[in-house]
Amino acid sequence: MAKMTIQDKLALLSDAAKYDASCASSGTSKRGSRDGTGLGSTTGSGICHAYAPDGRCISLLKILMTNYCVYDCAYCVNRASSNVLRARFTVDEVVWLTTEFYRRNYIEGLFLSSGIIKSSDYTMEEMVRIAEKLRAGGFRGYVHLKTIPEASPELIERAGLVADRLSINVELPTDASVRSLAPEKDPVGIRKAMGKVRLTKEDYAERSFTGRRRAKFAPAGQSTQMIVGADAADDATILGNASRLYGAYGLKRVYYSAFSPIPDSSAVLPLIDPPLMREHRLYQADWLLRFYDFELGEIVTRDAGGMLDLDVDPKLAWALANRDRFPVDVNRAEKAMLLRVPGFGTKIVDRILKARRQGALGLEDIRRMGGRVKAARAFVTAKGHHPSGALDAADLRARFVKPKQMELF
């Protein structure tokens, strides 16, 4: 076979990285290069993101260092037994690509993952060398390293000192699924590595007797990703596991990646992919758990088979099931109840609380603040508005469900 060019490798290894959803960059520290000694900049509010036609986030220069892998995870297109074309970047090639794309303003950072070659330590050291070489060259853009949990703690510590974010994939929602579909991976070892990252970050954040910190360690924190739909885990199990991960390891994000059928896949995997709407509903539910004070048992119940409603968003589904809690008076209700009104986000609620000190608010006032009045109308009272019998209407749910096109076959 002819030797691959760097363009060939880029085409292959960027396509191979598309299954990794965890590439958001929010939360990193602000850096600049106006002093002329560095290259590029990044801001605390994060970088811009791009989205593939199927809705996946593919921001940054998002590549694998290699798609060779000694592991044989059933759900992975790059598994050892897969018959895909293989390629591998050198350290210098990734550094050159990142730097040149950055200079041309194509990207604002690097997301680097990899298959496992030779050993976990060997692979992790190559990835760390890439990030260290970029930083040594003055690169101040965002760097996200996908960390290999079996790598030595010393290598993970070096990674955290040059990367903005580290992430370690838990792979699947349950330990039993990991052992079944990825028998070479140890779910306990994965969580142990996540705990080590958290402890190391806390250690570096402590101030010495002079008031100074040792150094910045993964300032954008750590995240993880789990595949949805490759096993039989329901949404309650997935969200319950995510809640435990947030609490135990201080994660910034848990990413949900809908399983994509792969060529020559194992017979134990489903033949069709789960609806992308399921992935979307999981993100919405995750948001409600973290920022709206919902309990898991409120969002997804065993009565519904442990699954989220795909037709309406989780907050609207809760409101429809708890109509006795409404209508909510936007001019008197406490913040906790306003946050439960469909169509009201956290920013809108803050604006309502601030604005109503000046006088009673009507629906048009809330619309101008950015509230989704169409979704909220049946659930609130406001100046000049009362939902009357709308809450008891038998077709209230149907008003929010978009009609589906019938399939021909």
Side-chain angles (χ1 to χ4, degrees):
M1 188 179 74
K3 184 179 179 181
M4 296 182 78
T5 66
I6 194 168
Q7 287 83 2
D8 295 332
K9 294 179 184 179
L10 181 61
L12 186 66
L13 295 175
S14 60
D15 183 68
K18 68 185 178 184
Y19 299 100
D20 230 318
S22 53
C23 54
S25 65
S26 55
T28 191
S29 56
K30 187 176 182 179
R31 290 187 297 271
S33 54
R34 289 186 175 180
D35 57 7
T37 60
L39 174 67
S41 63
T42 186
T43 64
S45 60
I47 66 163
C48 297
H49 301 123
Y51 294 88
D54 64 356
R56 293 176 188 276
C57 176
I58 52 166
S59 59
L60 316 177
L61 172 57
K62 184 178 174 184
I63 54 173
L64 298 186
M65 187 176 73
T66 178
N67 63 345
Y68 287 101
C69 192
V70 298
Y71 288 174
D72 201 39
C73 306
Y75 49 82
C76 182
V77 70
N78 299 314
R79 66 192 186 281
S81 60
S82 177
N83 191 30
V84 297
L85 187 62
R86 307 282 179 171
R88 175 184 171 182
F89 280 126
T90 65
V91 169
D92 287 339
E93 284 173 337
V94 177
V95 171
W96 181 82
L97 275 174
T98 306
T99 306
E100 291 302 310
F101 279 168
Y102 207 98
R103 289 185 191 279
R104 289 165 172 76
N105 203 28
Y106 295 163
I107 61 166
E108 297 182 71
L110 170 69
F111 175 94
L112 184 63
S113 185
S114 181
I116 310 297
I117 42 175
K118 295 186 180 179
S119 69
S120 298
D121 276 355
Y122 176 81
T123 308
M124 192 71 224
E125 178 149 27
E126 291 284 287
M127 295 172 70
V128 171
R129 284 180 58 210
I130 289 170
E132 288 178 338
K133 198 163 186 176
L134 280 169
R135 295 303 190 209
F139 182 76
R140 297 181 182 177
Y142 179 82
V143 175
H144 181 153
L145 290 183
K146 185 66 74 177
T147 309
I148 301 168
E150 297 83 10
S152 71
E154 292 76 18
L155 284 170
I156 294 178
E157 184 170 351
R158 279 174 57 189
L161 292 174
V162 288
D164 293 272
R165 173 167 288 183
L166 300 179
S167 58
I168 300 174
N169 285 355
V170 295
E171 306 292 346
L172 294 158
T174 67
D175 287 3
S177 297
V178 175
R179 293 190 182 101
S180 171
L181 300 178
E184 292 142 316
K185 295 189 175 180
D186 174 19
V188 176
I190 291 171
R191 291 194 291 273
K192 186 177 178 181
M194 294 168 72
K196 179 65 178 174
V197 169
R198 176 175 187 169
L199 292 175
T200 306
K201 182 173 174 59
E202 290 174 353
D203 184 39
Y204 272 92
E206 287 187 0
R207 295 182 184 277
S208 68
F209 68 93
T210 63
R212 303 184 64 179
R213 294 189 177 94
R214 291 170 59 194
K216 287 184 177 179
F217 181 87
Q222 66 168 325
S223 59
T224 191
Q225 174 176 313
M226 66 175 83
I227 300 168
V228 174
D231 64 355
D234 57 30
D235 293 342
T237 302
I238 292 168
L239 291 169
N241 189 19
S243 296
R244 287 189 290 275
L245 292 171
Y246 279 122
Y249 306 108
L251 300 185
K252 288 288 186 181
R253 290 289 300 273
V254 174
Y255 291 90
Y256 310 97
S257 177
F259 168 70
S260 299
I262 55 177
D264 306 320
S265 63
S266 165
V268 301
L269 294 173
L271 295 176
I272 58 172
D273 50 339
L276 278 176
M277 183 55 74
R278 185 183 178 192
E279 182 182 287
H280 182 59
R281 296 295 184 223
L282 284 168
Y283 279 116
Q284 290 178 319
D286 180 290
W287 218 253
L288 293 181
L289 292 171
R290 290 194 292 144
F291 301 114
Y292 290 76
D293 292 331
F294 276 85
E295 299 292 333
L296 178 59
E298 295 179 297
I299 296 175
V300 55
T301 67
R302 290 297 171 188
D303 294 341
M307 300 298 284
L308 295 166
D309 190 332
L310 295 184
D311 290 332
V312 296
D313 71 74
K315 193 205 276 193
L316 177 57
W318 178 85
L320 289 168
N322 295 273
R323 301 187 195 190
D324 58 313
R325 305 282 295 274
F326 297 94
V328 169
D329 187 343
V330 296
N331 290 301
R332 295 177 180 275
E334 295 181 352
K335 181 176 181 179
M337 200 57 214
L338 287 173
L339 283 171
R340 295 190 170 229
V341 175
F344 288 1
T346 53
K347 289 184 179 178
I348 299 303
V349 169
D350 287 341
R351 289 170 188 165
I352 289 172
L353 292 172
K354 186 176 180 181
R356 72 185 188 184
R357 297 174 194 158
Q358 311 302 320
L361 303 175
L363 289 185
E364 192 54 38
D365 298 316
I366 294 170
R367 190 196 310 277
R368 284 197 292 269
M369 294 177 193
R372 291 169 49 227
V373 170
K374 185 177 179 181
R377 179 182 295 276
F379 301 94
V380 298
T381 61
K383 181 182 177 182
H385 169 75
H386 192 283
S388 301
L391 266 175
D392 300 321
D395 66 341
L396 181 57
R397 183 180 188 280
R399 297 178 195 174
F400 295 100
V401 178
K402 292 181 179 178
K404 295 178 181 176
Q405 184 174 3
M406 295 184 66
E407 296 182 0
L408 293 176
F409 304 98

